[in-house]
Structure formats: C-alpha cells, structure tokens
Amino acid sequence: MDKKVLNILTEKCSQENIKKLSDLNNPELMKFVAEYTELCNPDSVFVRTDDAKDIGYIRNRAIELKEEMALSIKGQTVHFDGMKDQGRDAKNTKFFMVKGVEFGSHIHSIDREKGAAEIRGLLKNIMLGKQMYVSFFCLGPVNSDFSIYAVQLTDSAYVLHSEEILYRPGYEAIKKDGREKGFFKFVHSAGELENNVSKNVDDRRVFININENIVYSTNTQYAGNTIGLKKLALRLAINKADKEGWLAEHMFVMKVHGPKNRKTYFTGAYPSSCGKTSTCMVEGENIIGDDIAYLRKRNNKIFAVNVERGIFGIIKDVNPDDDFKIWNVLNNPGEIIVSNVLIKDGKAYWQGDGRPAPKDGDNFSGKWNKGKTDDSEKPINHAHNNARYTIRLSDLDNCDKSLENPEGVPVRGIIYGGRDSDTWVPVFQSFDWDHGVVCLASSLESETTAATLGREGVRKFNLMANLEFLSIPIGKYIQNHLDFAKGLDLIPIIFGVNYFIKDKNGRYLSGMHDKRVWLKWMELRIHNDAGAITTPIGMIPRYNDLKRLFKEVLKTDYSELLYNEQFKIRIPENLQKIERIFELYESNVIDIPEMVFAKLDGQRKRLEALKSKIGDYVIPDQL
Ligand code: SPV
Ligand code: MN
C-alpha cells in the first residue's frame, strides 16, 4: 500500500477498519478514502461492511448522536432537517465544467478549478470532532450488467442509515468482483450542527465532477442533497449512460396486470410530487421501483431495473383511504425513518394523514405549537409539505418479485406525466416513438411543488422529468432517446398522463384512484385490446372502453359528461404549450435534433387544422 495512504489511515483508523478496506484489494479506493480523510480531518474513520454488526453500529450512532429519535412503534425513528434545508437545493447544485465546453444554459455549472477550490475550502477540517463513515453500495441489482458500485463518505449516520434502507449492499460484491475502476464516489458532510441540524446552510453546496465520477455535498442534511446514491448518482449515471449507450431515468418501474394473467411492465417519469409513487403503488398492480430506473437494450428489447430497493417518499396525504399500503407499513413495527413530521408522545403526524393535528409537539422548527411563525412571520405547518418516509420495498406486499432480478424487466410502456391544470387530457398515447419522445417526453412541463426549494405552483419545463439531473447537453439527451428505439423488435409505447387537469372553476376533474383505470387502458392498448380516437395530440380512449374499465376496476359509473370534459382537446392551451416549447428549444438550447422541430410543427399544424374546422375546444364525439 502507498506509504502516504497508509500513514493517513493509520492515524484515524483502527487496524480492524484498515483491514476492511485493504480486503477490497483496490488501491484507488484506499487512496480516495485517505485523500478525504486528510482533507475533512475527522477524529476517526469507521468502515461499514455488509456485516450486520456494522449496520447495527450505524443505526445506533444515529440515535446516540440524536440525528434520529426512536418513536413508539418499534424500529421506527424520526429525523429532522433544518428549517431552511427542506428540499433539493437546485441553485447551489452545480456541475464542474471545463472552459470552452458548452452544455447549454439549463445546466447549472461552475468553472472546474473554481468549483474544486471552493469545495476543498468548505471540506477542509469540516469533520473535526466527528467520525467519518465509509460505506459501499451497489446501484441496481448485484451481479447484473446494470450494477454500478458506489462508495459513500459521510459524517452523518442518518445518511448512511437511509442508504442502508434504500440501496443494495456493495462491500461483498466489490470484493468478489475485483473491479478496480468505475466507482461512483460521494463525499458528504452535514457540516457544523446546531440543535442537530446543519447550521451553515448558506454554505450548502452540491458539486458534481462528472469527469471523475465524484459528487460533493456540504452543509446540508436533506436526503435529496445528501444521499449520494439518489439524485447525485443519477447525475453521474446520465453521463455514464450517454457514453455507454443506455439510459438513466427519473422513472418508476411497475407491473400492470392485464386480462388472462397477462403481465405488462411500464416505466414512468413524473417530476417530483406529481403522482409517480402513487401510480406504481396503485391497488391491484405491483411495484418494482418508484424513483430511478436504468434502461438497457438486450436481444432487441428494452429492459429496466430499479436502481434502489426502497422508497424515500412524500408522506403528505398518506392515509388509510388514499394510500393504504404505505399507511399500513408506517403504522407497524419495522425499520422506517420518517422526516420533518410532527412528533407528539412518540407518535408521528403529517399533513393529510386524516387525523386531527396535535396542537403542539416537536417538528423541524424545534418545539412547535399551533400558530408558531417563521422568520418572515409565515405560520409553520405542523409537518412540512415535503416531509418524507424511508422504507424498504420488501416491506410492501405489492412489491414485485423481479425487484432483484439481475436481468431487469422487459419494458412495454413508458409514461410521462406532469402537474398541468389546463392542457393535457388525463391519458393519451403517442402516435409513435419519435412523436412520444418529442411531443410528450421532451415537452413535459409541470407546476412546481415543495420537493425543490422555491415558489410552488409555477409552470416549469422539465423534459423527461429529468432536467434537474441532466449531466449532458439537452439536445444530446433527446437524440439518445430518439436513437434508443432504433433496431428494436418491440418498441415500447409512449403515453402521457395528467392527473391534475381542472375545469374552468378550478376543480380537479379526476379522482385519486382514476389512475388505476388509465393504467389498465394503457395495458390494453399495448396489446391492441382497446380502440382509440385519433386527435392532434395523440390517441385518446373511447368512452365505452373507459366506462367498462371504471365499472370493473373502481366499481363506479363513469359519465359521458365527465368523459367529454376530461378528454376535450383544449386547442388554445395546447398551441400555447407548443409555442413555449418551440421557443425554448429554438433559443436556449444547443444542438437540438431537427426531429424536435419537425414533430412540434406537425402537432401545431394538426391542432390548427382542427381549430379551423371545429373551434377552440373539441370533444371526442366531434372527432
Ligand atoms: C424527488 O424529489 O424527486 C425525490 C426525492 O425523489 S429527492 O430527489 O431525494 O429529493
Ligand atoms: Mn424523484
């Protein structure tokens, strides 16, 4: 072993911990650990293997250091992030860029040297007085061509405990594999703590070095900024996928049951907090993953895996009526972390849980009582809008067996959905792959939510629900999607959904459970078992098919009046959308494939033709 590396490690690590590292037989990893041990300067270093003893140690540390507090339900704990650390910090998340390399204005970047100097400055001695934990994980199932190994350095036992729930262990796999390079590396520090939360949030940074596959995260605890394997790894994976010819997506993976025991696999991309988790969790179907998927081609088909093995989900509105399965897990013993909820007498409360909120308790603002206000005199809710739960998928009885299948599942349908109050119909099918990639996926917009810091309810462009995580130019990313279906025997069908369409009085037109019907319709379409009506934006369901499905699936009567309102083609809104998207691609972004403009233009012409024939708003019967 390199002498300098050994000296640094010997100073901070016990012999036992050094042995755990050297057993991996990977000098590059050792060097990486030593480099950041020296820079961050923790009091000691603990190496976590896949061993139950090590895992238990981290779980206990989180409690001991009050990063988590035990709740009255056995195995459950609560974690609080600071008042100003309740979502992903898009503003301070930046990619290192080499001068002269143009990625386009949508990608937040910082000059590489400048960024490296800034982050080194912030990391210097940041772990003084703390222990640094080193841990290994595998993204995707182990022993698979999807597997990517990752190493996480952090001073937060909460971060590691969360990762333990959410990701597959990697220590033994790495030892066996003998692979020396290609690891994703994450360096995180919560920084100085005050009342157990990151104090210096002004120095919160998430800096991404795609050339070296390293992400740094400082002065933050919120999981979306700190859990290396989640959105930080997604950013690295998008770049790796681009080089290797596969896709890394912000997508769920699920199985939908069709007639005669047919099983059809879907993936779905929705921006945060737009119904992604609740779609793959619907009654009657099976979940494989709720957030991040890798897609690869094999035997001229597309296969997908869940990169994770758990859910870091939004807890708001989880109640026995709307989300029974999650509710059940959260109300039973098990290894679960809830965050940024209200705690009263050891019990967790959150918004939309169907129970009266206690008048006081502990939450992310410290001691809380009804009427408490923040710095700007705004009332503080008992639980945050973006409060979360962290659970293992295997704790759910609807978890699909294929979760750990190294081959993944064959993808037949891909769904794109945003939060859109006035434009898209609740469900529709693209004409073909290219139309789907351009007019659905690359035209996705969504009204903002609490999952990222900033104002809610503003319409934002978010292609493939992946914009925030893109580490390659947008044009290239779209081209990769266009190319992905080339030469396939079975091209997945691309669908659009919108659970948030409203009538002119601002009332939602769909019920919470209607997505179960939309899924069944899409399943039938894939196998040519339902008809459709051709419209300028794609193909929409026929009333009679939906009426039958509503009866079968939800046991409700679906009226033609509602159908016409929901599936009315809103031409002015759709034309405005095309204008917005067209302009965006024309002005801001480099190297956009010609196909984008051609498909958008085609859609515009179809909409205009229908408008001049019938008018602004066209109900399906008129088509
Ligand atoms: C999301 O907001 O899309 C999430 C949670 O899945 S996180 O990205 O971790 O903030
Ligand atoms: Mn997500």
Side-chain angles (χ1 to χ4, degrees):
M1 196 190 311
D2 186 300
K3 214 153 171 203
K4 182 159 180 242
V5 167
L6 187 64
N7 282 346
I8 296 167
L9 292 178
T10 312
E11 205 187 307
K12 308 281 182 181
C13 275
S14 67
Q15 281 309 313
E16 190 192 348
N17 281 301
I18 294 186
K19 181 165 171 10
K20 291 184 208 168
L21 280 180
S22 56
D23 280 354
L24 290 177
N25 220 346
N26 188 324
E28 193 186 301
L29 272 184
M30 296 281 270
K31 201 163 139 240
F32 169 71
V33 175
E35 181 182 348
Y36 288 94
T37 301
E38 189 177 35
L39 181 63
C40 303
N41 202 11
D43 284 7
S44 62
V45 175
F46 176 81
V47 179
R48 199 210 73 150
T49 65
D50 305 345
D51 196 271
K53 198 166 112 246
D54 287 1
I55 292 168
Y57 173 79
I58 296 296
R59 216 183 285 135
N60 291 338
R61 286 286 287 183
I63 299 274
E64 221 172 85
L65 299 176
K66 298 202 166 52
E67 285 189 77
E68 292 173 33
M69 275 68 68
L71 296 177
S72 51
I73 304 181
K74 194 162 178 282
Q76 298 198 7
T77 55
V78 61
H79 163 82
F80 294 121
D81 299 302
M83 286 279 280
K84 296 190 175 136
D85 196 22
Q86 294 285 329
R88 271 188 272 110
D89 183 356
K91 201 170 119 252
N92 285 305
T93 299
K94 294 180 185 165
F95 289 91
F96 284 3
M97 282 296 151
V98 183
K99 272 196 198 77
V101 178
E102 188 55 86
F103 267 36
S105 60
H106 281 88
I107 291 168
H108 242 126
S109 65
I110 182 162
D111 171 69
R112 188 179 165 154
E113 316 290 61
K114 205 171 137 212
E118 184 177 347
I119 207 72
R120 286 192 84 79
L122 287 169
L123 286 172
K124 193 159 175 59
N125 295 328
I126 200 169
M127 295 187 189
L128 260 179
K130 296 192 193 175
Q131 184 164 52
M132 180 171 97
Y133 313 109
V134 183
S135 193
F136 305 92
F137 295 97
C138 181
L139 292 158
V142 286
N143 292 326
S144 153
D145 51 357
F146 288 99
S147 310
I148 297 176
Y149 298 129
V151 51
Q152 171 85 58
L153 312 184
T154 177
D155 57 11
S156 164
Y158 158 69
V159 165
L160 214 46
H161 183 202
S162 303
E163 287 179 331
E164 156 61 26
I165 296 175
L166 295 171
Y167 301 93
R168 284 105 172 171
Y171 182 83
E172 291 303 327
I174 292 170
K175 208 153 97 177
K176 240 196 255 138
D177 185 288
R179 207 183 296 182
E180 281 181 22
K181 293 209 169 13
F183 288 73
F184 285 179
K185 304 186 184 97
F186 305 98
V187 182
H188 164 254
S189 171
E192 198 180 328
L193 301 177
E194 188 172 70
N195 301 323
N196 306 316
V197 302
S198 294
K199 181 180 166 193
N200 305 318
V201 281
D202 290 344
D203 286 333
R204 177 172 51 212
R205 298 288 180 275
V206 177
F207 280 3
I208 303 131
N209 182 343
I210 46 175
N211 292 320
E212 290 177 31
N213 280 327
I214 301 186
V215 186
Y216 307 93
S217 156
T218 63
N219 298 298
T220 171
Q221 290 167 304
Y222 174 67
N225 297 322
T226 59
I227 293 189
L229 287 91
K230 207 169 189 47
K231 296 308 180 351
L232 314 191
L234 175 57
R235 293 172 170 101
L236 299 180
I238 289 171
N239 188 263
K240 187 173 165 68
D242 171 56
K243 294 202 183 92
E244 298 174 356
W246 49 279
L247 299 176
E249 299 297 315
H250 191 200
M251 282 178 173
F252 68 59
V253 187
M254 75 180 297
K255 179 164 92 187
V256 177
H257 298 258
K260 300 203 185 101
N261 264 332
R262 187 168 62 203
K263 299 170 178 66
T264 307
Y265 295 94
F266 285 81
T267 64
Y270 305 47
S272 306
S273 188
C274 290
K276 180 146 69 44
T277 305
S278 62
T279 302
C280 54
M281 279 295 298
V282 292
E283 192 58 42
E285 318 295 1
N286 294 97
I287 180 171
I288 294 153
D290 89 311
D291 198 34
I292 305 168
Y294 293 163
L295 279 68
R296 278 179 180 270
K297 286 191 277 195
R298 196 185 309 118
N299 306 330
N300 297 326
K301 291 196 190 79
I302 294 178
F303 287 82
V305 293
N306 181 7
V307 171
E308 314 179 281
R309 67 163 180 188
I311 305 184
F312 174 62
I314 294 177
I315 203 166
K316 184 178 171 196
D317 295 331
V318 172
N319 60 56
D321 293 331
D322 295 333
D323 232 331
F324 179 73
K325 285 187 194 311
I326 303 269
W327 172 264
N328 205 25
V329 171
L330 297 181
N331 280 283
N332 277 295
E335 191 175 357
I336 291 163
I337 310 173
V338 289
S339 61
N340 307 321
V341 295
L342 179 83
I343 303 300
K344 170 94 178 174
D345 301 329
K347 231 175 127 171
Y349 296 84
W350 52 90
Q351 295 187 46
D353 60 11
R355 299 168 295 188
K359 303 244 174 314
D360 56 26
D362 294 289
N363 76 0
F364 56 97
S365 73
K367 286 266 166 255
W368 176 88
N369 57 286
K370 202 170 160 56
K372 183 173 178 183
T373 53
D374 65 13
D375 290 352
S376 53
E377 318 254 303
K378 277 223 309 275
I380 302 172
N381 277 330
H382 68 293
H384 197 272
N385 275 342
N386 195 30
R388 300 265 174 168
Y389 59 83
T390 306
I391 62 171
R392 268 199 194 97
L393 280 161
S394 56
D395 289 339
L396 293 164
D397 58 15
N398 57 332
C399 172
D400 197 64
K401 285 196 291 294
S402 56
L403 172 64
E404 296 303 337
N405 185 347
E407 303 225 316
V409 295
V411 180
R412 298 298 307 273
I414 302 182
I415 310 172
Y416 290 94
R419 186 175 287 267
D420 160 11
S421 51
D422 61 9
T423 309
W424 274 6
V425 295
V427 62
F428 62 112
Q429 179 185 339
S430 59
F431 297 119
D432 54 35
W433 180 263
D434 290 347
H435 175 245
V437 168
V438 174
C439 294
L440 281 64
S442 307
S443 301
L444 199 62
E445 296 179 290
S446 191
E447 289 149 27
T448 51
T449 66
T452 33
L453 304 171
R455 214 149 65 83
E456 293 179 38
V458 185
R459 179 156 25 209
K460 280 215 169 123
F461 165 72
N462 191 351
L463 84 161
M464 284 76 162
N466 217 0
L467 178 65
E468 204 181 314
F469 314 114
L470 283 199
S471 47
I472 58 173
I474 290 179
K476 189 135 197 276
Y477 178 66
I478 297 176
Q479 189 64 54
N480 290 347
H481 273 256
L482 289 169
D483 291 345
F484 203 55
K486 289 196 180 132
L488 290 181
D489 295 338
L490 251 183
I491 298 180
I493 294 185
I494 296 178
F495 296 93
V497 296
N498 175 20
Y499 307 148
F500 303 93
I501 185 84
K502 293 177 176 173
D503 66 13
K504 58 179 182 306
N505 300 315
R507 274 188 303 250
Y508 286 114
L509 283 168
S510 312
M512 267 293 279
H513 300 288
D514 294 2
K515 49 175 96 66
R516 290 179 58 192
V517 171
W518 314 146
L519 284 168
K520 293 294 193 205
W521 180 77
M522 291 185 267
E523 202 278 339
L524 294 177
R525 285 295 298 163
I526 286 170
H527 302 280
N528 277 320
D529 283 345
I533 300 166
T534 300
T535 82
I537 65 165
M539 288 174 282
I540 63 169
R542 294 184 308 202
Y543 170 67
N544 279 335
D545 291 327
L546 290 184
K547 183 177 147 96
R548 180 175 59 80
L549 287 173
F550 266 91
K551 198 79 197 165
E552 268 172 36
V553 179
L554 299 179
K555 316 264 175 301
T556 56
D557 292 314
Y558 179 62
S559 80
E560 195 156 7
L561 202 72
L562 181 59
Y563 166 75
N564 279 330
E565 193 55 25
Q566 288 179 334
F567 287 91
K568 167 173 84 185
I569 306 299
R570 303 170 180 221
I571 296 180
E573 286 84 354
N574 273 285
L575 282 171
Q576 280 157 23
K577 179 183 176 74
I578 290 179
E579 287 320 306
R580 287 193 299 273
I581 302 295
F582 207 100
E583 199 193 298
L584 192 137
Y585 282 128
E586 211 169 30
S587 59
N588 283 332
V589 197
I590 45 175
D591 293 337
I592 296 300
E594 266 313 306
M595 179 72 82
V596 170
F597 301 109
K599 290 283 164 191
L600 286 172
D601 201 46
Q603 182 131 327
R604 172 165 45 205
K605 292 203 171 97
R606 287 190 299 274
L607 283 161
E608 275 164 356
L610 185 64
K611 182 175 148 145
S612 58
K613 198 166 129 209
I614 301 181
D616 280 348
Y617 297 91
V618 180
I619 59 169
D621 253 357
Q622 294 171 290
L623 288 157

